[in-house]
Amino acid sequence: MMAMLTERWMARSPRERLLLSVAGVLAALMLVWFALAAPALAARERAGRAYASAADLYEEMTAGAREAARLRLSAPAIQDEADQAPLRTAASALARDFGLQISRIQPGEAGALAFVFETADPGDLFRWIEGLQTRYGVAASTVTLRRNDGARTVQASVLVVEAQ
């Protein structure tokens, strides 16, 4: 088989061999570009954008955490009779004060409540959690955040347990 290919190759004129060689090299270069290089470069670009987005969200979240810590240290604990309202009512009123819209409240075990926000500003959300802590002595036991695409908002689920 190889001998037959060699014989056919040698039967071509030098000009045809050169032309076929150049065409083969160009076909190989196109194959490498479209099968390997272009997808790899596109993936690298997407990864760079995703990293930049994640870094921005991280900076925003750490700034919110620093602000929450600062507020926790500077705000006195307020315990008046308005603060003795049931957790569901108090948390809803506090959310309105911070411009947050609670999508749903799901009751859980042992007095736990899960507050779900479809779109929330992370800074406002952290201030709300801090307000629950300082005003009502209720700490969030679980906070789940997910960034909304194309926006500086998050989807959040916050699980709190009412003090007994």
Side-chain angles (χ1 to χ4, degrees):
M1 170 103 168
M2 193 64 168
M4 186 175 84
L5 287 175
T6 305
E7 181 181 325
R8 289 191 69 180
W9 181 255
M10 295 311 283
R12 305 269 179 220
S13 70
R15 184 176 176 184
E16 286 179 321
R17 287 193 298 244
L18 177 64
L19 183 61
L20 289 173
S21 297
V22 169
V25 168
L26 287 176
L29 287 174
M30 286 179 53
L31 179 66
V32 167
W33 175 257
F34 288 111
L36 300 174
L41 291 173
R44 181 178 180 208
E45 184 180 331
R46 283 191 308 271
R49 284 194 310 262
Y51 174 78
S53 176
D56 289 345
L57 181 59
Y58 173 76
E59 289 301 320
E60 193 172 314
M61 300 299 254
T62 51
R66 281 192 300 272
E67 184 177 347
R70 182 187 58 78
L71 289 172
R72 184 177 324 127
L73 294 175
S74 66
I78 301 170
Q79 291 294 327
D80 59 18
E81 60 183 74
D83 292 331
Q84 301 303 319
L87 179 59
R88 179 186 298 251
T89 305
S92 296
L94 190 61
R96 280 190 303 276
D97 291 345
F98 287 111
L100 296 170
Q101 178 68 38
I102 297 173
S103 298
R104 63 185 176 277
I105 302 173
Q106 299 171 329
E109 297 177 10
L113 289 174
F115 295 89
V116 179
F117 302 87
E118 293 300 325
T119 56
D121 177 77
D124 292 340
L125 184 66
F126 282 123
R127 285 188 286 279
W128 176 77
I129 292 170
E130 181 62 28
L132 288 177
Q133 174 75 34
T134 57
R135 285 187 175 187
Y136 305 104
V138 177
S141 62
T142 305
V143 177
T144 306
L145 299 174
R146 180 191 222 166
R147 186 174 189 173
N148 289 328
D149 292 338
R152 291 203 159 271
T153 60
V154 294
Q155 292 177 348
S157 175
V158 180
L159 181 67
V160 298
V161 179
E162 189 169 8
Q164 300 296 329

